[in-house]
Amino acid sequence: MISHRPRRLRTTPAMRRLVREVRPHRAELVLPVFIHEDLAEARPIASLPGVSQHPLADVPALVERAIDAGIGGLMLFAIPSVRDARGSGAVDPDGILNRAIRAAADAIDGPPGRGIVLMADLCLDEFTDHGHCGVLAPTGDVDNDATLDIYAQMALAQARAGAHVLGLSGMMDGQVAAVRAALEAEGFTDVALLAYAAKYASAFYGPFREAVDSQLEGDRRTYQLDPANGREGLREAELDELEGADIVMVKPALPYLDVVAEVAQASRVPVAAYHVSGEYAQIEAAAAHGWIDRRAAHLEALTSMRRAGADIIVTYAALELAAWLEDM
Ligand code: PBG
């Protein structure tokens, strides 16, 4: 006699559907979007199949597609024509990212009653000629506190342009508090902060570097987390929450699901996970060889991030996932 038969709950599709613990929904998906200042038409990113760099003129159509797909948000990144040591384009109201935010905000404001959350990447790496996320001290190290002043100006530029959420991805100490204080001082009390709290120095960012024409030499190991450290990820998330982060994020996602699960347990704010470029590319490359089922793999990755406790998922597959979830 076998008294416990867990297979009983797996017998039929209807039974499996009934007992499912998580049900991913399109509303929790966020699509990263790349706007390139120099392009006249969209240019595919070779290492991110299905993803392109877009000219500014594409923004309204991209917003439309995202709203029609019913996803929860867009995360804007931009690639400027000119870069310099201090990342000046990031704080310039006419810089490409701030123009893209304005265009997206206008498109969202258009017809009433159709909401989507507009997020902007708040980091200097796309704007500096050395490719680091902050300004450099004479020693060549990233100068934490000098960078905070620029992040504060960048935050104000993005808030003025109409961003709803600022994605602080630079991993400088004190960045959430610095940006929150600047926003409060100017009356931007409703602009939310999504802190890349536990952002690891990861090999899985490879294709993203192509997506933003990165000029980085070397690595980000003095500011992004060591992949060996789980507790430190929890500490970062806790500090960001105390500094006023509205949402905390773990990044990458699948190699760090232990961190996602622990942050989800400990945090009292929503938790996001970023299924990063290299994670997406792994699925695409294997699927292109016919080695895995592309749709099933993307859906399983999403389900696993949700099961670990993430509330919000940033993914390059957001539009397709939204469609697939509809007919499940
Ligand atoms: C930095 C940033 C990076 C990513 C998002 N924001 C790159 C990095 O830290 O090197 C990576 C995202 C991805 O790989 O999909 N602004």
Side-chain angles (χ1 to χ4, degrees):
M1 211 271 294
I2 297 176
S3 51
H4 296 283
R5 292 187 182 271
R7 287 186 56 190
R8 209 171 279 136
L9 298 182
R10 300 172 203 148
T11 46
T12 64
M15 186 65 89
R16 294 193 293 274
R17 181 162 162 261
L18 176 72
V19 301
R20 201 155 282 152
E21 293 175 32
V22 292
R23 300 170 197 281
H25 192 275
R26 56 200 161 94
E28 68 215 8
L29 303 175
V30 176
L31 177 71
V33 169
F34 300 100
I35 304 301
H36 198 306
E37 190 164 13
D38 295 335
L39 293 182
E41 53 190 67
R43 176 167 76 194
I45 301 162
S47 56
L48 281 180
V51 185
S52 294
Q53 296 174 325
H54 293 272
L56 183 62
D58 280 3
V59 168
L62 291 165
V63 168
E64 281 301 303
R65 269 173 70 194
I67 291 176
D68 288 347
I71 63 172
L74 284 174
M75 170 74 79
L76 292 185
F77 294 88
I79 303 97
S81 306
V82 181
R83 294 168 156 154
D84 62 24
R86 298 187 57 78
S88 312
V91 303
D92 179 351
D94 291 323
I96 183 63
L97 180 54
N98 295 321
R99 276 155 61 205
I101 294 168
R102 211 166 289 121
D106 287 347
I108 293 169
D109 282 346
R114 303 188 322 145
I116 191 162
V117 176
L118 177 58
M119 308 183 172
D121 185 55
L122 201 165
C123 187
L124 283 181
D125 63 320
E126 276 87 78
F127 296 93
T128 53
D129 51 13
H130 45 72
H132 276 293
C133 295
V135 291
L136 303 183
T139 56
D141 293 334
V142 174
D143 185 334
N144 192 88
D145 297 13
T147 299
L148 295 186
D149 294 337
I150 302 179
Y151 283 179
Q153 294 172 47
M154 190 175 179
L156 290 174
Q158 295 184 344
R160 289 180 194 124
H164 306 142
V165 177
L166 311 186
L168 294 103
S169 65
M171 288 302 287
M172 295 299 122
D173 292 337
Q175 64 183 14
V176 175
V179 163
R180 174 58 70 207
L183 293 173
E184 283 288 316
E186 297 251 330
F188 289 111
T189 50
D190 288 341
V191 174
L193 301 183
L194 184 167
Y196 287 49
K199 179 175 180 181
Y200 287 85
S202 173
F204 291 98
Y205 303 149
F208 180 90
R209 305 273 163 95
E210 182 195 342
V212 299
D213 299 357
S214 177
Q215 289 169 222
L216 180 71
E217 283 171 25
D219 59 53
R220 306 193 198 285
R221 290 178 190 278
T222 68
Y223 41 104
Q224 298 180 348
L225 293 172
D226 189 315
N229 297 348
R231 280 196 306 275
E232 197 181 345
L234 282 178
R235 179 175 186 228
E236 287 276 9
E238 188 180 331
L239 286 170
D240 284 352
E241 202 178 324
L242 290 171
E243 287 181 28
D246 300 285
I247 302 169
V248 291
M249 184 146 81
V250 176
K251 177 185 175 184
L254 296 189
Y256 299 88
L257 280 191
D258 56 328
V259 182
V260 173
E262 289 197 69
V263 169
Q265 286 280 324
S267 295
R268 293 297 172 262
V269 295
V271 175
Y274 197 143
H275 190 244
V276 302
S277 58
E279 297 180 80
Y280 174 90
Q282 279 184 310
I283 294 177
E284 293 299 319
H289 281 278
W291 294 341
I292 59 174
D293 177 330
R294 179 169 178 271
R295 172 184 155 135
H298 276 302
L299 283 166
E300 185 175 330
L302 172 62
T303 301
S304 299
M305 292 182 267
R306 292 282 288 105
R307 192 193 62 243
D311 306 294
I312 299 164
I313 311 295
V314 183
T315 168
Y316 300 97
L319 295 178
E320 273 183 299
L321 282 167
W324 293 332
L325 291 172
E326 272 307 271
D327 40 70
M328 277 173 77

